[in-house]
Amino acid sequence: MNPGTRSVFIDADPETVWNSIVKDGRFSTWYAPGSSWQIPKVEVGEKALFTLLPSDHNSLEEGETIPMSFTITEVLPLERFSYASDLDGTVFTFDLFQEQNGTRVTVNVDGFALSLENLKAFAEGKNLPHI
């Protein structure tokens, strides 16, 4: 695993995990709860918009927001979802691997530890540990 890579085992099938990442605005539920992800179409070349709002996990002041735009770069259903920052080109990739009776999710960049714990809880139908 690369130095910035993060991984988590989720006690759920790949379809459940995939849907937790890309379907019906579910990304907003577990990634930076309270902030907003908009992924209108899960297709290469489509835009995804994220608006970071103040929380206990960042230093934003009340009323402050950080809007970000991303372009979806790869979609392999049940296997890989990638998007690139329109600001600096950083590519974020979620890889899903069926493992035993569940799914391992690996993210290629550092900084996703708390979010992956939330994704695990969300996909397993549990309360999010980091709100």
Side-chain angles (χ1 to χ4, degrees):
M1 204 172 345
N2 295 331
T5 301
R6 295 286 177 253
S7 178
V8 67
F9 176 79
I10 300 174
D11 189 14
D13 61 88
E15 184 174 5
T16 298
V17 176
W18 177 260
N19 289 336
S20 297
I21 295 171
V22 302
K23 296 286 184 190
D24 305 319
R26 295 177 190 175
F27 208 118
S28 295
T29 304
W30 59 266
Y31 181 84
S35 294
S36 170
W37 271 97
Q38 296 170 1
I39 307 173
K41 281 183 146 181
V42 182
E43 294 178 9
V44 172
E46 292 292 327
K47 294 292 182 185
L49 304 174
F50 175 62
T51 303
L52 184 64
L53 299 174
S55 78
D56 292 341
H57 304 287
N58 63 47
S59 59
L60 296 179
E61 299 292 326
E62 181 142 353
E64 212 178 346
T65 64
I66 299 176
M68 298 175 227
S69 174
F70 300 89
T71 300
I72 296 172
T73 58
E74 191 170 13
V75 178
L76 298 172
L78 307 181
E79 295 179 21
R80 176 175 277 186
F81 178 64
S82 297
Y83 53 90
S85 167
D86 291 339
L87 179 64
D88 65 10
T90 301
V91 176
F92 301 85
T93 299
F94 290 82
D95 283 310
L96 284 66
F97 305 95
Q98 189 163 6
E99 184 177 293
Q100 299 168 356
N101 292 325
T103 306
R104 178 156 304 277
V105 176
T106 301
V107 180
N108 69 319
V109 295
D110 199 8
F112 273 82
L114 300 180
S115 294
L116 285 177
E117 289 176 21
N118 277 353
L119 172 60
K120 175 180 175 60
F122 181 75
E124 293 176 353
K126 299 175 182 172
N127 291 330
L128 301 183
H130 307 287
I131 297 180

